[in-house]
């Protein structure tokens, strides 16, 4: 009888901690603003991280808008593209996913690193949201499976125009740091 009681207590504790953790993370949200070419990590209404991003080129490569969830987080992923398999980025810098892939609930779309350090701030991807590798590593360390990702068009306005040179400076600084 004591054994059954212990098992019930352990199961109860497991569910209590599991649901407590989920509630603690529920205030976290990722917002992608396509006009600003920025990703915002938000926690309980406060922006905790702002990252310059690359979005889709347009047409069939347009980055979709909507509300999605993170379904996977894979470090050093293989890249399957145009019938070819690229080894992880650490082995082959041609791997367009960079050092991390965060899959979305929309199949074939995700948030990932890049092998093109000058691309954030531009429309160059095949529809995914990509960023420099050090940024995806930081974001993936703070993210979790089931986290909400909102991708919005945003407004083409004065602010989005003002952000273009900032994104360019950010890219230049990243490239110079990576070249050292």
């Amino acid at each position: 009888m004591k054994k059954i009681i212990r098992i019930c207590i352990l199961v109860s504790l497991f569910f209590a901690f599991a649901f407590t953790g989920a509630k603690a993370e529920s205030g976290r949200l990722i917002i992608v603003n396509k006009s600003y070419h920025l990703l915002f990590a938000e926690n309980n209404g406060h922006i905790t991280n702002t990252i310059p991003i690359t979005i889709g080129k347009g047409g069939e490569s347009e980055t979709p808008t909507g509300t999605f969830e993170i379904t996977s987080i894979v470090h050093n992923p293989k890249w399957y593209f145009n019938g070819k398999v690229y080894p992880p980025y650490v082995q082959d810098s041609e791997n367009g996913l960079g050092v991390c892939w965060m899959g979305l609930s929309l199949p074939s779309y995700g948030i990932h690193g890049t092998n093109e350090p000058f691309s954030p701030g531009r429309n160059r991807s095949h529809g995914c949201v990509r960023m420099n590798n050090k940024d995806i590593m930081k974001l993936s360390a703070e993210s979790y499976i089931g986290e909400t990702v909102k991708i919005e068009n945003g407004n083409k306005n004065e602010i989005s125009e003002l952000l273009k040179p900032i994104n360019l400076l950010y890219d230049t600084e990243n490239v110079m740091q990576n070249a050292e």
Side-chain angles (χ1 to χ4, degrees):
M1 186 66 160
K2 287 182 181 181
K3 192 174 188 179
I4 293 173
I5 293 173
R6 285 184 193 150
I7 291 172
C8 289
I9 290 171
L10 287 174
V11 170
S12 299
L13 287 173
F14 169 78
F15 282 111
F17 284 116
F19 289 118
T20 302
K23 288 179 184 175
E25 294 175 329
S26 67
R28 176 129 161 114
L29 171 69
I30 293 175
I31 300 169
V32 173
N33 185 304
K34 291 171 42 175
S35 291
Y36 293 175
H37 288 87
L38 290 173
L39 178 146
F40 301 98
E42 202 177 273
N43 198 355
N44 294 318
H46 300 285
I47 295 174
T48 58
N49 203 353
T50 303
I51 302 170
I53 58 168
T54 304
I55 59 171
K57 296 181 245 186
E60 289 183 15
S61 295
E62 182 73 24
T63 300
T65 58
T67 302
F68 310 100
E69 288 185 355
I70 294 175
T71 57
S72 63
I73 300 174
V74 181
H75 292 92
N76 298 312
K78 290 181 181 177
W79 184 37
Y80 303 88
F81 185 68
N82 283 342
K84 186 174 177 188
V85 179
Y86 294 84
Y89 180 81
V90 295
Q91 297 169 359
D92 184 355
S93 62
E94 293 295 311
N95 183 321
L97 300 180
V99 297
C100 183
W101 164 266
M102 294 172 41
L104 297 178
S105 54
L106 183 63
S108 300
Y109 288 91
I111 301 169
H112 62 83
T114 185
N115 60 354
E116 295 180 1
F118 281 114
S119 65
R122 294 170 178 74
N123 297 14
R124 293 184 51 97
S125 81
H126 294 100
C128 289
V129 175
R130 65 185 187 193
M131 62 189 63
N132 283 312
N133 289 319
K134 72 176 190 174
D135 292 326
I136 191 65
M137 290 305 291
K138 182 176 179 184
L139 182 67
S140 69
E142 300 168 351
S143 297
Y144 60 95
I145 306 297
E147 183 172 9
T148 300
V149 177
K150 290 185 178 182
I151 302 177
E152 306 169 341
N153 280 323
N155 296 322
K156 282 280 189 190
N157 58 21
E158 213 173 286
I159 294 173
S160 63
E161 291 303 312
L162 290 172
L163 289 170
K164 284 183 182 179
I166 293 171
N167 280 336
L168 181 61
L169 287 173
Y170 176 88
D171 295 338
T172 304
E173 182 180 328
N174 265 340
V175 171
M176 296 307 283
Q177 285 176 357
N178 292 333
E180 295 175 356

